[in-house]
Amino acid sequence: HHPILWVRLQGPGVLLPYALEEGDLYHRCALRLLREAGEERKAGKEDTGPRTGELSLSTASRILRGVVGEQLRPQEWETRVREGKEDLDRLGVCLLRSVLPPRLVLSLAEYCRDRANRSDGWKFRYRWHEPFARHLNNQFKPLAERLCGRKLKCSHPIILFYGVGTGIMPHVDEDQFEVSLSISLGRLKENGKDLVEGDQKPTSLHSITWNLLQPLIRADMHPGDGIIFYGKHIPHYRNPVTTPIISLALGWHYETTLL
C-alpha cells in the first residue's frame, strides 16, 4: 500500500491523487513539518524552527513540481479562462492547453488502456462510468461553469478508444451533454498495447462552430490538452486515425440557475 498525496492544481482547481513511493517518505515528513509550522504561527506560538519551515516549503515545492510539473501563475490562468470564455461565446468551442499534467496523463492513459477490449483488433470502443473518469467529471465542473456562465450538473463520462482507421462521423451529443469536454490522453503503438511516451504528435478533433466567419475549428491536441464546446449544439467529428488513440469525454447539463 502506498500513501496518497492529494494535490489541487492551480488554475483548473482539479484535485488529483498521487501514490507516493517509499523514496518520497522524506518529502512527506517535510510536508508535515510545514503544516505544523503553519499551525503554530496561526496559534500565535513562537516558530522555534524557521529554517526547518523554510526547508520544508522548498522541499514540498520540489516534490509537487515533480508530480504535476510547472503550473501557470494564477493571473496567467485567469487570462486563459477569460480568453477561453470569449471563444466559447463567439464560436461555441474553446481549446484549453495542458488541463492535465504529463505524469497524470500517462498514468490515466495506462489505466484506460488496461480496460480496453482488444479482441476485435482495436476497433472503436468506449466505456462509461469509470470511477476515475467520474472523479474528473466532478472536478472539472467548476471550470466548465466559469466558462459557460451556467450552473451545471454532471452527466456520464466516457473513455473512448480509437483503433487504426476508426473515427467518428459529424454529430451532436445527446441532451445530457449540453457542455462537453474532450481531453486527449495520447496515442498507442500499432499493437494497441504500448503507450507512445514523450509523444509530440497531436491528435485532432474538428468542430463546426456557430460563427459564419470561422465556421470550422480543427483542434490539434497534445496529451493533456482539452477542447470544451456546447456538445448538444456544435457538430463535431474525428477523421480516421492512423495510430490507436485514447480520449476522455466529460459532460454536463444545465441547472436552471444562471451564475
Side-chain angles (χ1 to χ4, degrees):
H1 298 286
H2 296 288
I4 297 296
L5 173 67
W6 286 89
V7 178
R8 187 175 298 280
L9 296 182
Q10 295 182 30
V14 177
L15 191 64
L16 302 174
Y18 293 89
L20 294 180
E21 302 295 337
E22 188 173 333
D24 292 326
L25 292 180
Y26 168 75
H27 303 297
R28 280 203 301 136
C29 292
L31 289 168
R32 179 178 57 79
L33 290 172
L34 177 62
R35 184 183 69 248
E36 291 175 353
E39 290 172 351
E40 288 181 355
R41 282 193 293 272
K42 286 182 180 178
K45 297 180 181 179
E46 181 180 356
D47 190 349
T48 57
R51 294 180 180 274
T52 303
E54 292 169 6
L55 177 62
S56 299
L57 177 60
S58 173
T59 306
S61 297
R62 282 200 301 272
I63 182 175
L64 293 183
R65 281 198 300 270
V67 167
V68 301
E70 295 291 344
Q71 300 182 59
L72 291 177
R73 295 185 177 90
Q75 58 268 31
E76 293 174 330
W77 180 259
E78 288 303 313
T79 299
R80 178 179 291 188
V81 170
R82 184 179 66 252
E83 293 173 348
K85 190 177 190 312
E86 292 171 356
D87 285 344
L88 197 60
D89 291 341
R90 181 171 55 90
L91 303 169
V93 180
C94 164
L95 179 62
L96 297 170
R97 297 290 185 194
S98 302
V99 294
L100 290 177
R103 179 169 165 182
L104 181 75
V105 171
L106 183 61
S107 298
L108 187 55
E110 290 175 343
Y111 171 87
C112 296
R113 175 205 60 194
D114 293 342
R115 281 150 182 79
N117 184 341
R118 295 185 291 273
S119 61
D120 61 355
W122 261 91
K123 298 301 181 184
F124 180 76
R125 287 278 178 178
Y126 56 89
R127 289 180 67 92
W128 297 82
H129 309 301
E130 286 292 341
F132 196 67
R134 288 203 306 269
H135 170 75
L136 289 177
N137 209 65
N138 279 290
Q139 290 295 311
F140 274 106
K141 183 166 77 75
L143 174 61
E145 289 177 333
R146 288 192 63 190
L147 289 168
C148 74
R150 297 284 298 268
K151 292 290 290 182
L152 300 172
K153 290 184 177 180
C154 288
S155 299
H156 306 299
I158 318 171
I159 297 171
L160 300 164
F161 310 90
Y162 296 86
V164 174
T166 65
I168 46 175
M169 297 291 289
H171 70 286
V172 294
D173 293 335
E174 297 180 1
D175 288 348
Q176 67 267 33
F177 288 93
E178 291 181 287
V179 180
S180 301
L181 172 61
S182 176
I183 302 176
S184 172
L185 299 182
R187 299 184 301 134
L188 294 158
K189 295 180 180 178
E190 293 288 345
N191 59 14
K193 299 179 180 179
D194 301 320
L195 292 163
V196 180
E197 298 187 35
D199 186 18
Q200 297 301 314
K201 184 178 179 180
T203 60
S204 298
L205 184 70
H206 295 75
S207 301
I208 301 171
T209 79
W210 55 38
N211 189 320
L212 293 178
L213 297 178
Q214 195 175 354
L216 182 64
I217 294 290
R218 170 179 164 171
D220 291 328
M221 296 185 291
H222 296 280
D225 290 345
I227 180 172
I228 190 166
F229 53 96
Y230 291 107
K232 182 180 172 181
H233 304 285
I234 297 294
H236 49 284
Y237 63 95
R238 190 186 298 276
N239 288 329
V241 299
T242 57
T243 55
I245 67 171
I246 304 176
S247 178
L248 175 64
L250 309 179
W252 307 270
H253 57 276
Y254 294 141
E255 287 189 358
T256 56
T257 307
L258 291 173
L259 287 178

